[in-house]
Amino acid sequence: MNRLLKIIFFGLIVKPLVLIGLGLNTYHRNKLPMTGPAILAPNHNSHLDTLVLISLYPLSRIHQIRPVAAADYFLSNRILAWFSLNVLGIIPLERNNNTGVKEDLFKECHAALKRNEILIIFPEGSRGSPEKLGTLKKGIYHLLKDEPTIPLFPIVMHGLGKALPRGEALLVPFNCDVAIGDPLYSQGHEINYFMQKIIASFESLLEICLTRQA
Amino acid sequence: MFNIPTNSLYMMAFIMTLLMIGSVIQYALQRFNPTKDFTELKQRTHSWWVMILIFLGVLVSGKTASLCFFAFLSFLALKEFFSIVPTRHADRRVLFWAYMSIPLQYYAIASHWYGMFIVFIPVFVFLFLPMRSIFTGEIKGFIQSSGIIHWGIMLTVFCISHIAYFFELPEKNTSAGNIGLVLFLVFMTQFNDICQYVFGKMLGRHKIIPKVSPNKTWEGFLGGFFTAMIASLFLAPLLTPLSSGQGVLAGAIIAFSGFIGDVVISAVKRDLQIKDSSQLIPGHGGVLDRVDSLMYTAPLFFHFVYYLCY
């Protein structure tokens, strides 16, 4: 049932919107993992980021693409919570859990990876100021530390922060870039080195974006 | 069938024949040079098939379909333009209104309102958008932004919409109809592009403006120029209300302005240090890359015909 809702939402609304209202320039699309377990780690500028990423997948696959999203935001009211859980299929993340137990925090994520699903995790944490890369949160490393063989794909998206930035409801059409990088593995890397590699990958991917000056 | 006037029907058949010959040549090249990589040529040919089939399909579907098609083309080109040029975050609302000029401009055309079609963008949109812009309160970069936005609308909406107005003119050449004018303009523009490219590749030596477009040579330009004039000597009387003599002049106008349109968009991309305006058309780049010359040839050819015949 939820799978059907997701297919209807993406097939009838998101895909046409992305195709006509936005328009994508994708780079290295062949690098996009078709089967899990894997983690997509894009930069974050707009609510459209998640929708655009999922729309890169065929409708038969989209139920396996799970955005990891902040519970305090996406479960904040009943309608948004229903939509996030049943249509988008998010994995809620308790950002402010004070128990301090990291294993608990990522329990759902580990379970999803075991089911060969593909997670979308925004290492910046929030959308921040439009088209600027914020500082990366280190949680993503703690998740991957226990999964040394699962690939993380750095992805740079550009232009969506113009089409629908934070705090705006009016969507203005813009072409957007989606550039997919080579997979990174946590195996044998310590935390700062791993985070540096993600940042370096973001920077080199941004170079190929056509809309980078807009 | 579909009520297409005979000459235009022949022209469509002729274009399809050229396309098939092109495909055969591409296939032969690949066959006899199996080691060389022809991926891009293959993509280009494939995209030509898609573009021409869509274009001819729209033309035979009637006036309304054609107007919608050119309005959509304007939208894609304008979106591409706004996506590559620098605009300010504060301009979002202004850009939204810029997009709104497309339905209004094409509405003026569909309702046969020549005066509004001619002044709507150069006067009303021109005055309105900077006004909307000052109400955002963002002054830094105001001048630059106003200039960029209006220039983009002029090129992609105003200029391209001239093709659509051909459908509204009274039919003067009944054996070709108004479709004939559109076919003539679009065919001649693309034919001139291709001829300039081919002559440039074969004989090109003396560069015209190496800083903007290093591949443009005098040999290519003149080769395209004269071929276009000869082609339109024959085609103009068949497809348009123009005589052969006027046709030669039309060919010259299209060849010259097509060249200018091409290098103007090249200059835009060079300024932004990008190669293509988007990836929409495999092997060609974006819509802007494909309609660059058409943005210059359409209004100039339109007003040439309008002055002489209407």
Side-chain angles (χ1 to χ4, degrees), chain A residues 22 162 168 170 173 213, chain B residues 79 83 87 92-93 99 272:
Chain A
L22 295 173
K162 275 213 140 165
E168 295 267 2
L170 177 76
Q213 302 184 45
Chain B
K79 177 161 65 85
S83 305
T87 53
R92 276 175 31 88
R93 307 271 154 168
Y99 284 116
L272 297 168

Side-chain angles (χ1 to χ4, degrees), chain A residues 20-27 130 161-165 168 170-175 210-214, chain B residues 72 75 79-80 82-89 92-93 95-96 99 271-280:
Chain A
I20 295 167
L22 295 173
L24 294 186
N25 305 314
T26 47
Y27 312 91
K162 275 213 140 165
L164 187 72
E168 295 267 2
L170 177 76
L171 190 145
V172 177
F174 279 103
N175 283 346
L210 279 179
T211 67
R212 64 182 181 274
Q213 302 184 45
Chain B
F72 188 61
F75 168 71
K79 177 161 65 85
E80 228 165 65
F82 286 158
S83 305
I84 55 170
V85 294
T87 53
R88 303 171 303 164
H89 185 67
R92 276 175 31 88
R93 307 271 154 168
L95 298 180
F96 175 79
Y99 284 116
D271 188 7
L272 297 168
Q273 296 173 317
I274 54 179
K275 257 195 85 208
D276 294 323
S277 55
S278 87
Q279 298 182 332
L280 192 68

Side-chain angles (χ1 to χ4, degrees), chain B residues 33-52:
Chain B
N33 305 289
T35 49
K36 232 175 128 186
D37 183 23
F38 284 101
T39 320
E40 192 175 333
L41 186 69
K42 210 170 152 186
Q43 277 184 338
R44 278 185 89 94
T45 317
H46 182 256
S47 296
W48 271 121
W49 274 99
V50 175
M51 287 189 290
I52 288 174

Side-chain angles (χ1 to χ4, degrees), chain B residues 247-295:
Chain B
V248 173
L249 201 51
I253 291 173
I254 290 178
F256 178 70
S257 56
F259 169 81
I260 300 294
D262 192 336
V263 288
V264 163
I265 293 303
S266 292
V268 169
K269 290 184 289 186
R270 209 149 270 258
D271 188 7
L272 297 168
Q273 296 173 317
I274 54 179
K275 257 195 85 208
D276 294 323
S277 55
S278 87
Q279 298 182 332
L280 192 68
I281 314 170
H284 293 251
V287 174
L288 271 184
D289 299 315
R290 196 59 272 151
V291 300
D292 50 5
S293 13
L294 207 53
M295 292 188 296

Side-chain angles (χ1 to χ4, degrees), chain B residues 121-294:
Chain B
I121 288 171
V123 177
F124 294 108
V125 173
F126 174 70
L127 297 175
F128 174 77
L129 290 183
M131 182 193 92
R132 182 64 192 85
S133 182
I134 54 166
F135 284 120
T136 63
E138 181 69 48
I139 296 307
K140 185 124 187 56
F142 168 77
I143 305 172
Q144 227 174 9
S145 229
S146 303
I148 288 176
I149 293 172
H150 195 255
W151 190 51
I153 302 173
M154 284 297 287
L155 281 177
T156 60
V157 186
F158 185 67
C159 290
I160 288 179
S161 71
H162 281 75
I163 312 171
Y165 206 87
F166 278 124
F167 293 100
E168 298 296 326
L169 296 174
E171 291 196 4
K172 287 272 169 85
N173 180 345
T174 44
S175 50
N178 289 336
I179 291 182
L181 281 160
V182 176
L183 279 172
F184 178 80
L185 168 66
V186 173
F187 173 78
M188 287 302 298
T189 306
Q190 303 301 343
F191 180 66
N192 170 58
D193 271 6
I194 294 169
C195 288
Q196 290 195 2
Y197 176 79
V198 171
F199 277 101
K201 275 261 163 181
M202 288 193 317
L203 313 166
R205 239 175 230 122
H206 303 87
K207 293 182 164 48
I208 305 181
I209 20 174
K211 276 186 183 161
V212 181
S213 200
N215 297 327
K216 294 279 181 290
T217 58
W218 280 107
E219 292 79 2
F221 171 69
L222 291 174
F225 190 79
F226 287 111
T227 324
M229 286 208 293
I230 295 164
S232 62
L233 171 78
F234 297 105
L235 287 179
L238 296 174
L239 293 171
T240 73
L242 301 172
S243 68
S244 303
Q246 292 167 331
V248 173
L249 201 51
I253 291 173
I254 290 178
F256 178 70
S257 56
F259 169 81
I260 300 294
D262 192 336
V263 288
V264 163
I265 293 303
S266 292
V268 169
K269 290 184 289 186
R270 209 149 270 258
D271 188 7
L272 297 168
Q273 296 173 317
I274 54 179
K275 257 195 85 208
D276 294 323
S277 55
S278 87
Q279 298 182 332
L280 192 68
I281 314 170
H284 293 251
V287 174
L288 271 184
D289 299 315
R290 196 59 272 151
V291 300
D292 50 5
S293 13
L294 207 53

